[in-house]
Amino acid sequence: MEFVPWKTFGRIIERHKGDACVRTLGCADLFRIMAFSQLTWRESLRDIEVCLDANHAKLFHMGIAGPPTRSTLSDALNLRDWRIYHALALRLISHARTLGCCACFSSSKSSWVKSLRGPRLAASIDPSIPRRMDSNSAR
């Protein structure tokens, strides 16, 4: 989370009026929750809610006041403008390019779009990538 430009993200949220009429879960908190969910391989709103409840004591260190309910997450995901997170993703990609940390962010658009596919799709395409054990695959 240290590479996320929070001031820039705040300006993007203001530009798109992302937190207008929002009472409980702002765009930045939603981003933190969705990043946590992606990194911990959560697959549904129920799964996200249970995981956040289980890590209730650690949420403060992530910058989240408390675990949101499933209906709050659902409403937030449905009502937020996708352009907010698109603009943030473009900013993070440009920052990664300036750092030169990854050759996959070259100038061609198709290469960085392929890098955004995620580990599950990459693992299903390339068998050399280690896969996470699912509860269904152990049977």
Side-chain angles (χ1 to χ4, degrees):
M1 289 300 202
E2 68 184 67
F3 289 109
V4 177
W6 292 108
K7 288 183 181 180
T8 304
F9 189 39
R11 287 192 296 269
I12 292 169
I13 292 169
E14 288 176 13
R15 183 181 329 130
H16 293 285
K17 297 179 177 80
D19 284 341
C21 302
V22 172
R23 292 181 294 166
T24 57
L25 189 63
C27 290
D29 288 341
L30 181 62
F31 174 75
R32 287 182 183 102
I33 289 171
M34 296 319 302
F36 174 77
S37 303
Q38 182 71 27
L39 292 173
T40 57
W41 294 84
R42 301 299 114 198
E43 296 178 352
S44 67
L45 289 177
R46 185 180 308 268
D47 197 14
I48 293 169
E49 181 187 33
V50 168
C51 187
L52 289 173
D53 281 336
N55 294 302
H56 182 74
K58 299 175 186 176
L59 294 180
F60 175 77
H61 300 291
M62 287 177 31
I64 301 169
T69 61
R70 189 170 49 241
S71 62
T72 303
L73 278 174
S74 176
D75 291 343
L77 289 170
N78 286 326
L79 297 176
R80 298 297 185 273
D81 190 1
W82 62 271
R83 293 176 292 182
I84 296 170
Y85 302 104
H86 178 259
L88 177 64
L90 291 178
R91 178 66 179 106
L92 288 171
I93 289 169
S94 69
H95 183 64
R97 283 182 183 160
T98 60
L99 292 176
C101 63
C102 183
C104 62
F105 293 122
S106 65
S107 60
S108 77
K109 183 178 178 181
S110 63
S111 65
W112 64 263
V113 169
K114 289 177 186 174
S115 69
L116 292 176
R117 287 182 179 166
R120 292 182 188 173
L121 182 61
S124 66
I125 294 172
D126 187 3
S128 66
I129 297 175
R131 295 182 64 136
R132 179 178 69 98
M133 284 295 284
D134 291 334
S135 59
N136 295 337
S137 63
R139 295 179 187 160

